Amino acid sequence: MADERVAVVAGASGFVGRELVEALRADGYRIRRVGRAERVGWNDPRALVNAVDGANLLINLAGKSVNCRYNDTNRDEILRSRVETTRALRHAVAAAETPPPLWLNASTATIYRHEAQRPNDEASGIVGEGFSVDVAREWEREFFADELPRTRRVALRMAIVFGDGPAPDMLRRLARWGLGGPQIDSPWFPHRRYRGIGPDPTGSPRSGWHRTRGRQKFSWVHIDDVIGAVRFLGEHEEITGAVNLASPEPTDNRTLMRALRRKTGMPIGLPAWRWMLEPAMWVLRTEPELVLKSRWVVPGVLDAAGYTFCRPHLEDAI
């Protein structure tokens, strides 16, 4: 038992969390869960300290899903659920007698700007503006705050994860319904759902649009490579800071939807302009930003360290 490895996983009930827990168990870890419905909850600081004390690995995936409408209540909860849970874990790690040597905290590749010019890696990527970016900035700011000299910290800037999760499921449904053509940004009534948030909000108070013609970039990563990267980061103690979890072969929206139509056996796919997407996404209780923002992200740190992707190609991943 003295040689038993322990992994603490916060937010283990989500799609990525479930898959990671299963993989860690296969690797021989004993799992300690943290969450609202777990034995160790967020409102018990002593229990949090006990959970992380002596653990070999801490993974935090906690946070409200962004697959929702960005009304004021959801906006506040998306930010709060990430920042406050990360802060609670940071305090617990600081108080632990034997803190975990590695802490992997979820972040998002959406931290980069709407990008149509060049790929964003960790060294030269340009941070964007607005609600989703501000959430990511505050999340990482809280994660890297203060000194934790005995704990290596890595922020996992995850692109949209392919697998049995909510985002790919939404795209598959659109393809099956014959709506799997390109999603095309176009003028729409300005709204305030994407305005900045937090202590230093950025961006315009009103929404805008970009002339993408359905060629907005789409960065993604398969769940097998999320698991592979977690294992790889555990073995490479020189890696710290922000790490992009994204396939080295990003695609664009038109190519993605064409591939989805082939895989679902739907020969047609109607294109959808923003004026069509806005009411459709309202019905689906999600946001057009998830498919209209141009995300062009590449895994600079992982590539430089020699990580080999399990599923780098779009067709295989789908």
Side-chain angles (χ1 to χ4, degrees):
M1 293 295 290
D3 296 329
E4 182 181 46
R5 293 185 297 171
V6 174
V8 178
V9 182
S13 61
F15 155 55
V16 174
R18 293 193 304 268
E19 296 286 344
L20 272 175
V21 164
E22 185 176 335
L24 290 169
R25 281 181 174 150
D27 291 345
Y29 282 92
R30 180 163 61 89
I31 307 298
R32 297 174 185 166
R33 295 170 176 259
V34 176
R36 288 177 300 173
E38 306 294 346
R39 292 177 60 185
V40 179
W42 295 110
N43 296 322
D44 190 341
R46 175 45 54 187
L48 285 174
V49 173
N50 291 338
V52 303
D53 200 359
N56 303 90
L57 173 64
L58 169 59
I59 302 178
N60 179 28
L61 306 167
K64 176 179 172 58
S65 171
V66 297
N67 188 26
C68 63
R69 295 295 287 179
Y70 293 171
N71 56 44
D72 286 351
T73 300
N74 286 341
R75 280 165 46 90
D76 290 343
E77 182 60 16
I78 286 170
L79 178 62
R80 186 207 64 78
S81 62
R82 286 160 173 74
V83 171
E84 291 188 6
T85 54
T86 301
R87 181 184 302 133
L89 288 173
R90 181 165 50 79
H91 290 166
V93 170
E97 183 177 338
T98 308
L102 175 60
W103 177 5
L104 305 176
N105 207 76
S107 182
T108 172
T110 301
I111 196 170
Y112 301 109
R113 69 178 181 178
H114 177 101
E115 184 62 75
Q117 303 301 317
R118 60 177 182 80
N120 285 294
D121 62 15
E122 300 87 343
S124 61
I126 300 174
V127 173
E129 296 180 329
F131 170 68
S132 298
V133 172
D134 286 351
V135 169
R137 287 170 52 242
E138 293 305 314
W139 200 2
E140 291 191 7
R141 183 181 297 171
E142 191 65 49
F143 177 49
F144 289 116
D146 298 337
E147 294 293 327
L148 298 177
R150 292 185 288 169
T151 299
R152 176 166 58 101
R153 286 177 281 187
V154 178
L156 305 175
R157 291 181 175 173
M158 281 186 275
I160 291 176
V161 181
F162 276 8
D164 191 20
D169 182 60
M170 177 192 70
L171 293 169
R172 282 192 293 264
R173 281 187 290 163
L174 290 174
R176 290 193 188 104
W177 295 344
L179 302 174
Q183 284 96 39
I184 304 170
D185 206 353
S186 57
W188 182 251
F189 301 106
H191 58 77
R192 301 181 67 245
R193 299 194 307 274
Y194 301 162
R195 69 191 186 279
I197 196 172
D200 301 302
T202 65
S204 171
R206 297 283 179 175
S207 61
W209 67 286
H210 299 86
R211 193 179 297 278
T212 59
R213 297 184 173 88
R215 289 295 182 188
Q216 62 269 28
K217 289 293 185 176
F218 183 88
S219 290
W220 56 274
V221 65
H222 193 277
I223 185 62
D224 289 355
D225 281 305
V226 175
I227 294 168
V230 166
R231 289 169 171 155
F232 184 85
L233 291 167
E235 297 167 356
H236 287 257
E237 297 181 0
E238 75 279 7
I239 299 177
T240 187
V243 171
N244 292 344
L245 291 193
S247 165
E249 298 184 14
T251 185
D252 63 30
N253 181 263
R254 285 181 179 270
T255 304
L256 168 71
M257 299 313 294
R258 188 184 307 120
L260 284 168
R261 292 197 303 272
R262 283 197 296 268
K263 292 298 183 180
T264 57
M266 174 56 70
I268 62 170
L270 299 176
W273 283 264
R274 190 175 202 123
W275 63 266
M276 301 164 65
L277 282 170
E278 287 283 354
M281 293 301 195
W282 180 83
V283 171
L284 292 172
R285 308 313 299 162
T286 189
E287 286 291 341
E289 181 190 55
L290 298 177
V291 294
L292 292 179
K293 180 175 179 178
S294 187
R295 297 171 173 86
W296 196 351
V297 182
V298 291
V301 169
L302 289 177
D303 273 350
Y307 177 72
T308 301
F309 278 78
C310 309
R311 299 185 185 276
H313 309 299
L314 179 66
E315 294 279 351
D316 178 49
I318 292 175

